[in-house]
Amino acid sequence: MCILFVYVDDGSVAGRYRLVLASNRDEFYARPAKLAAPWEENARIIGGRDMEPGREGGTWLAIGNHPAGQIKLGALLNVTGENKANVTNGRGPIVANFLKGELTSRAYSEQLLAQDNFGAFNFVSIQLDAKGSDRSEDRSEGGNQSGGTVLHTSNAPHSIDTCKTGQALGFGNSTLEKPLQKVCRGRERFDEIVARCNVPFADKDALVHELMGLLKSDVRHFPDPELTRRAGQHAEFLSSVNVRMPNGSYGSRTHTVILIDHNNHMEFIEQTLSGTDPHTGEWITTRIERELV
């Protein structure tokens, strides 16, 4: 399970963040992974890497500006409880191939579904025009300073949906039509945080703190018929934004916040569990800043 909250600005008000993202990666604590960093094969891309033997190099969330002039972000979520036939490829390369390639988000999504041999997935792709920053000459010409596109692509069932910018979005491990309760309630809180904090000259550290607080929320949003249908007896333990399974081997092991301001300055803040116990293990904080041009 994973959860993702996203706001992409529509350019209607000057000075706001172009992108605000908060995401949890839920995984077995013992599964090996690299911390978020520029990738060895392409330093324009930043993200964590899966190091599970046989699946090395895949990723669940990454951002980059390849090719130059475009800002691209990809996030992968499994679709719980869906069995797919003819699965021959792991899902890990889906985000990596999008960021390393030259295709637009829509062209890539169309290709992805045309060649579908993956397990059930939700793939959220964001593409921003690096030249679409909030500059006075753009506004005087009546241009869209956002230049942003958010797509939700799924193979369970096959669909490509364009998501509206300028509002809070939430994604989880079910279909868009039947979101889980924790996605709905989490999106409402995310919306409130963004509406209050995403203003010019806001306290950035306070915004990051509140977003991390959302990602660490242990409130269970249960009962949830859709989650119960998909996850059965485990549903209640999976019904909080921050997951901690009672057996202690699986849960939310990575909390990520990404901000991109109107000058395309990106801050990537991530807290990752080192060890296999979220209560006693060390949480490592990674902070990366970059100008995305």
Side-chain angles (χ1 to χ4, degrees):
M1 306 280 293
C2 294
I3 199 164
L4 172 70
F5 303 107
V6 173
Y7 170 89
V8 173
D9 191 44
D10 60 3
S12 60
V13 177
R16 295 192 297 200
Y17 282 105
R18 299 189 70 197
L19 179 139
V20 180
L21 177 146
S23 176
N24 275 347
R25 181 198 184 201
D26 300 342
E27 185 52 87
F28 289 101
Y29 299 132
R31 183 163 179 157
K34 288 184 178 181
L35 296 175
W39 289 4
E40 294 178 0
E41 70 271 33
N42 189 330
R44 299 177 73 92
I45 301 172
I46 295 169
R49 309 298 292 268
D50 186 12
M51 296 305 294
E52 179 78 3
R55 300 183 183 275
E56 298 92 342
T59 187
W60 55 96
L61 173 68
I63 186 171
N65 57 331
H66 172 84
Q70 292 291 318
I71 301 168
K72 295 163 68 175
L73 182 146
L76 185 70
L77 306 98
N78 296 345
V79 184
T80 301
E82 297 287 343
N83 294 318
K84 294 278 292 180
N86 303 316
V87 175
T88 58
N89 275 348
R91 290 166 286 208
I94 289 176
V95 171
N97 290 342
F98 170 59
L99 293 178
K100 291 189 290 186
E102 306 289 331
L103 294 178
T104 66
S105 54
R106 180 162 291 277
Y108 180 77
S109 291
E110 291 172 350
Q111 181 185 85
L112 195 63
L113 294 185
Q115 302 172 356
D116 178 24
N117 54 6
F118 302 96
F121 67 79
N122 289 327
F123 169 56
V124 178
S125 59
I126 300 173
Q127 191 162 350
L128 305 176
D129 183 356
K131 298 178 181 179
S133 56
D134 187 5
R135 298 174 298 182
S136 59
E137 60 265 31
D138 293 332
R139 294 197 301 273
S140 66
E141 295 172 2
N144 182 341
Q145 292 83 44
S146 173
T149 301
V150 183
L151 295 184
H152 176 279
T153 303
S154 182
N155 67 344
H158 278 207
S159 61
I160 302 176
D161 292 283
T162 301
C163 302
K164 189 176 181 180
T165 59
Q167 65 181 31
L169 304 171
F171 306 96
N173 304 101
S174 63
T175 63
L176 283 181
E177 293 75 21
K178 294 184 178 181
L180 304 181
Q181 286 299 305
K182 68 176 183 178
V183 174
C184 297
R185 303 289 81 78
R187 187 198 62 78
E188 291 172 356
R189 183 175 171 191
F190 178 75
D191 184 35
E192 187 275 327
I193 294 171
V194 170
R196 177 165 41 83
C197 297
N198 188 22
V199 295
F201 314 112
D203 186 334
K204 178 194 65 182
D205 291 337
L207 172 58
V208 172
H209 178 76
E210 292 209 37
L211 293 172
M212 284 294 181
L214 164 62
L215 296 177
K216 296 175 184 179
S217 173
D218 294 321
V219 175
R220 292 180 180 176
H221 303 284
F222 199 79
D224 182 343
E226 180 66 11
L227 182 56
T228 299
R229 184 180 74 83
R230 291 181 175 277
Q233 62 181 340
H234 303 297
E236 184 172 359
F237 302 112
L238 298 170
S239 66
S240 54
V241 172
N242 186 46
V243 171
R244 294 179 187 172
M245 293 297 288
N247 62 11
S249 64
Y250 179 93
S252 299
R253 56 176 284 181
T254 304
H255 311 298
T256 306
V257 170
I258 299 176
L259 305 175
I260 301 177
D261 70 14
H262 57 280
N263 291 318
N264 295 330
H265 177 78
M266 181 204 71
E267 296 195 52
F268 189 119
I269 306 103
E270 192 163 88
Q271 296 180 2
T272 302
L273 176 66
S274 175
T276 58
D277 188 335
H279 300 286
T280 61
E282 178 186 3
W283 286 87
I284 300 173
T285 298
T286 301
R287 185 181 291 265
I288 301 170
E289 298 189 39
R290 176 172 291 185
E291 308 302 322
L292 298 178
V293 295

